[in-house]
Every structure is written in structure tokens, then in C-alpha cells.
Amino acid sequence: MLSKAMEKALNEQLNAELYSAYLYLSMAAWFESQNLPGFATWMRIQNREETGHAMKFFGFVTERRGRVTLQAIEAPAKDWKSPLAAFEAALEHEQYITGRIGELVNLAIKEKDHATNAFLQWFVNEQVEEEASVDKIVQKLKMAEKAPGALLMLDHELGKRT
Ligand SMILES: [Fe+2]
Ligand SMILES: [Fe+2]
């Protein structure tokens, strides 16, 4: 059985994952408005992944006989000043989420809740991957700033994400 504090913290993370999904969907809409459909495709897929993360929390809380309670999802930003600015915001957001996952692990350890700790380890590893994949695109966008045509090539490349 989950403690009340753990249940609350997991529900808050479910909300944070839904916010992540919402943020990336907003970025997808922005990239579409900038005529960069490949970047938009990448963000659409990111949106789906984040929804999947939220559903993992939904499933785990339910399985542990906790109660899932849904809160309002904050409205995300809708404009960024460049593709680089959008991806830098995405990286900053992923770093924030990594910090939150770390806090959840700390709570699980404090409560000696081994099942929740084990569940959270998937997210610990996932965040390493998430930060690395976003950072890679940030670095490419920095290089693209100095090379005309590079942005369109990158758009083509990111559009191949499945
Ligand atoms: Fe996530
Ligand atoms: Fe993420």
C-alpha cells in the first residue's frame, strides 16, 4: 500500500508528465507555424512519449491500490524566438523533470518503499536518455546557426523519427 505522501507525490508527477506532453504539443504547433514540419513531427512523438510516462504513473498508483487524482494542467508557452530557443527550453524542462524524479526517489528511500523506488528507476534511466537526445539537437542547432540550409537538413532528419 502506498503512503499518503507517496501517493500525493506520484499524482503530482503524473501531472508534471502531462504538462510535459502539453509543452511538447505546443512546441509542435509552433514548429508547424514556422513551416518546419520535421521538427513538429519530432515534437508530436515527444508528446506521445510523455503521455505514455503519465500513464505509467497512472498504472502504478492504481496497481498499488492508491487513488489517481487529476489536477489542472498548466498552460504551456506558445511562442519561442527560434528553433534553438525552443530546444533549449525543452532541455531546461527535462533537467527540471530529472530533478523531480530524484526527489521522488529520495522520498521512496526515506519511506523504505522499495516497490516505488524500483518503479522510479526506469524514469531515472529514461531521463538520462531524454536529456542526451534533446542536448544533441541543441548542439546541432547551434552549428546550424552558422550554416545556411542546415536548418532545413535538420528538419528533414528529425522528420524521420518514428
Ligand atoms: Fe517524461
Ligand atoms: Fe521527457
Side-chain angles (χ1 to χ4, degrees), residues 13 16-17 20 49-50 53-54 94 97 123 126-127 130:
Q13 190 59 28
E17 299 292 345
S20 302
E49 280 198 3
E50 298 298 355
H53 295 170
E94 288 301 333
I97 293 292
F123 285 92
E126 173 70 7
Q127 283 310 116
E130 289 269 84

Side-chain angles (χ1 to χ4, degrees), residues 39-160:
F39 283 92
T41 294
W42 194 96
M43 284 295 175
R44 273 200 184 81
I45 292 167
Q46 196 65 10
N47 161 269
R48 276 210 316 256
E49 280 198 3
E50 298 298 355
T51 306
H53 295 170
M55 291 313 294
K56 278 183 190 280
F57 282 95
F58 188 108
F60 182 74
V61 170
T62 303
E63 210 173 3
R64 297 287 305 283
R65 298 188 62 78
R67 174 74 162 95
V68 169
T69 48
L70 301 178
Q71 305 295 326
I73 306 163
E74 195 191 323
K78 62 179 165 47
D79 285 303
W80 290 272
K81 71 176 198 321
S82 65
L84 176 60
F87 269 86
E88 279 174 339
L91 180 58
E92 200 178 303
H93 181 69
E94 288 301 333
Q95 288 163 343
Y96 163 72
I97 293 292
T98 300
R100 290 190 62 114
I101 297 291
E103 289 301 320
L104 281 171
V105 172
N106 290 344
L107 181 63
I109 290 169
K110 192 181 122 208
E111 296 200 350
K112 301 188 171 67
D113 183 344
H114 302 294
T116 298
N117 188 11
F119 166 74
L120 289 169
Q121 293 309 308
W122 185 90
F123 285 92
V124 171
N125 294 319
E126 173 70 7
Q127 283 310 116
V128 173
E129 211 179 283
E130 289 269 84
E131 285 191 35
S133 72
V134 175
D135 187 44
K136 214 159 112 189
I137 298 169
V138 166
Q139 298 314 319
K140 284 183 180 177
L141 280 167
K142 280 184 178 165
M143 288 190 278
E145 275 189 329
K146 295 162 223 137
L151 188 65
L152 288 180
M153 273 173 59
L154 199 48
D155 188 60
H156 182 73
E157 184 190 323
L158 294 186
K160 287 191 261 183

